[in-house]
Amino acid sequence: MRFTGYRCSVCGSEYGESEPLYLCPKDQGCLDIVLDTERIRRTVKPSQLTGGEQERSHWRYLPLLPVDDPGAEGTPLRGVGWTPLYTLPALRSKHGLKAFWLKEEGANPTASFKDRASSLVAARALQLGAETVVTASTGNAGAAMAGMAAALQLHAVVFAPSSTPRAKLAQMLAYGADVILVEGNYDRATALSLDVSRDLGWYCRNTGYNPFTAEGKKTAAFEIWEAVGAGWIAIPQGVPLSIFVSVGDGNIISGIHKGFRDLEDLGWLEFRPRIFGVQAEGSAAVARAFHTGSERIEAVQATTLADSICVDMPADGVRALRAARETGGAYITVKDEQILNAVVELGQVGVFAEPAAAAAYAGYLRAVRTGQIGKEEPVLVLSTGCGLKDVAAVQRIVPEAPVIEPTVEAVKRLLKL
Ligand SMILES: Cc1ncc(COP(=O)(O)O)c(C=O)c1O
Ligand SMILES: [Zn+2]
């Protein structure tokens, strides 16, 4: 048994491990998976999960995950996580930052953070004997589910809004998924995917619905914890590490919070990170609740060019709110223009981020500008997806490449040499 059961994040009701649950039957609250902390503490030492001897993927933390080993050695499923940590010296000196790190999640097999969740869901599907996994997606979750399903030779069905960027669609189709575009937005695609999964009995991956997604996303917290322990992220005594995360449905931020809470329950966490959520100004349901002091998330009519974080009603909003409140973090909103500027700034130091990913960095810059975070404070920004995912959005801000006649003279004229 890899976990003991589920606990509702709203009413606290507990459910056994054998009940195949998505949401709390009483109030539709998101369920946290409860680990057998006592057993883990007794049988596992942190040194067995960390260090150079371990697998260079997030499967190194398998004893803290609620799934059996999915096998699949030699496939991309086995390559999820253990993503690069950059210090970006040029960016540090440009802004006078003393302790800045960026974790490049675009380096995952399908080029976004969502592989962490989808690989766990694929492993769970394997365990349940499910042959078809269905998900709604703004693009990345679907691409990740399609890729991970392909690695395990499962069938994936993805419902996506008709506005989904072409690259993400091409990627899902290349992985062999059945991709169905839904008239309307992500929330409409979500509603349909739920109906279809109930009707056909397909295993549903939906973010903020399937409890296993957050369990995959928490592995980023484990990697940050390991990086701090190893000294790759240096935290001055008494100054907390601040982690910046882009927020749409709120499942990445709540998964990361869960990872740190698991470590704390095990007595293994030696530092207390603050978690900051960043939302686009036009899609800021969680940020709004944070700033009004409310516990309730009210839906918005979301519009932002950062398609991956364009969400009317965040499916994991309550836990996403807590991730910031309970850690001393905050919510920050950024304009689309600031997101595009962040794409360009990151590009100029060699990181190609899609708009939703660059939003976290834009939020960090805003926090520095407003004095919310000092330039000397240790900060980790998560860059959640590769820029190749949404080329059209980036083309809105980068200049057109000039076309010239193929002569050296023409080059010199153009570059004023
Ligand atoms: C690149 C990227 N960043 C951030 C997010 C936001 O994650 P969440 O919806 O769990 O808040 C997504 C979700 O699709 C994403 O694809
Ligand atoms: Zn409940």
Side-chain angles (χ1 to χ4, degrees):
M1 201 172 64
R2 311 288 313 203
F3 63 106
T4 60
Y6 305 90
R7 185 180 300 119
C8 175
S9 61
V10 175
C11 69
S13 294
E14 302 209 352
Y15 302 95
E17 163 269 345
S18 57
E19 299 174 64
L21 287 177
Y22 291 109
L23 298 175
C24 174
K26 293 181 189 154
D27 54 16
Q28 308 298 298
C30 289
L31 295 175
D32 283 328
I33 285 183
V34 183
L35 296 184
D36 189 347
T37 310
E38 276 306 311
R39 185 185 53 79
I40 296 171
R41 208 184 284 129
R42 244 188 359 261
T43 56
V44 183
K45 287 196 197 66
S47 60
Q48 291 168 267
L49 310 177
T50 58
E53 303 290 293
Q54 308 304 327
E55 185 170 341
R56 297 175 74 77
S57 78
H58 76 163
W59 296 107
R60 67 206 272 121
Y61 307 114
L62 186 61
L64 309 186
L65 301 177
V67 291
D68 290 341
D69 190 336
E73 273 81 10
T75 76
L77 182 128
R78 218 66 213 185
V80 175
W82 202 243
T83 50
L85 197 57
Y86 297 139
T87 56
L88 302 177
L91 207 61
R92 283 184 175 201
S93 62
K94 177 175 176 183
H95 293 290
L97 308 173
K98 298 281 182 291
F100 173 83
W101 290 268
L102 180 137
K103 195 159 171 61
E104 169 56 302
E105 292 294 315
N108 275 300
T110 79
S112 89
F113 189 97
K114 300 290 164 122
D115 285 341
R116 294 182 186 271
S118 292
S119 58
L120 261 273
V121 170
R124 175 71 176 168
L126 199 68
Q127 233 174 290
L128 296 174
E131 285 168 7
T132 298
V133 184
V134 60
T135 194
S137 170
T138 55
N140 283 332
M145 194 65 253
M148 294 302 122
L152 289 183
Q153 299 292 286
L154 299 170
H155 173 217
V157 180
V158 183
F159 291 94
S162 48
S163 58
T164 303
R166 303 289 109 180
K168 295 180 184 179
L169 293 176
Q171 201 184 1
M172 295 178 217
L173 291 162
Y175 291 134
D178 280 314
V179 181
I180 300 164
L181 294 181
V182 180
E183 289 166 5
N185 62 9
Y186 171 57
D187 297 72
R188 297 281 291 275
T190 300
L192 180 59
S193 67
L194 291 175
D195 290 345
V196 168
S197 110
R198 278 188 211 110
D199 196 73
L200 296 172
W202 288 345
Y203 189 50
C204 184
R205 179 222 177 273
N206 280 10
T207 296
Y209 181 67
N210 185 317
F212 286 81
T213 60
E215 292 294 304
K217 289 168 177 182
K218 77 182 184 183
T219 60
F222 297 163
E223 289 175 26
I224 295 168
W225 163 73
E226 184 169 351
V228 171
W232 304 326
I233 295 176
I235 308 178
Q237 199 72 37
V239 188
L241 174 69
S242 296
I243 301 173
F244 281 72
V245 186
S246 304
V247 172
D249 267 322
N251 194 241
I252 294 182
I253 196 168
S254 71
I256 288 173
H257 189 209
K258 171 67 158 56
F260 285 117
R261 283 190 290 133
D262 281 354
L263 293 169
E264 190 153 31
D265 289 347
L266 288 164
W268 295 355
L269 191 64
E270 281 157 1
F271 64 100
R272 288 274 160 75
R274 297 190 297 180
I275 307 180
F276 289 76
V278 182
Q279 293 206 285
E281 223 172 66
S283 176
V286 188
R288 199 170 288 178
F290 182 89
H291 290 293
T292 56
S294 169
E295 283 285 314
R296 278 174 55 87
I297 314 283
E298 306 282 350
V300 297
Q301 285 230 318
T303 50
T304 166
L305 63 77
D307 62 284
S308 305
I309 50 171
C310 190
V311 179
D312 291 355
M313 185 59 187
D316 203 357
V318 174
R319 291 191 301 188
L321 194 56
R322 283 186 199 151
R325 284 217 176 113
E326 292 180 3
T327 62
Y331 267 81
I332 292 166
T333 56
V334 287
K335 297 182 193 307
D336 279 0
E337 189 193 339
Q338 292 169 320
I339 293 175
L340 285 178
N341 286 337
V343 170
V344 171
E345 255 205 39
L346 291 175
Q348 286 168 350
V349 295
V351 176
F352 191 24
E354 73 165 278
Y361 177 63
Y364 167 53
L365 287 184
R366 181 163 184 216
V368 170
R369 246 190 343 268
T370 58
Q372 206 167 353
I373 295 269
K375 288 187 174 187
E376 69 299 334
E377 289 184 46
V379 166
L380 180 135
V381 168
L382 214 57
S383 186
T384 40
C386 173
L388 290 173
K389 294 275 199 169
D390 188 1
V391 170
V394 178
Q395 281 173 326
R396 291 167 70 148
I397 188 152
V398 294
E400 286 271 331
V403 180
I404 60 164
E405 65 192 57
T407 66
V408 174
E409 273 315 303
V411 174
K412 286 182 176 170
R413 247 194 332 273
L414 180 75
L415 300 179
K416 299 190 175 59
L417 298 172

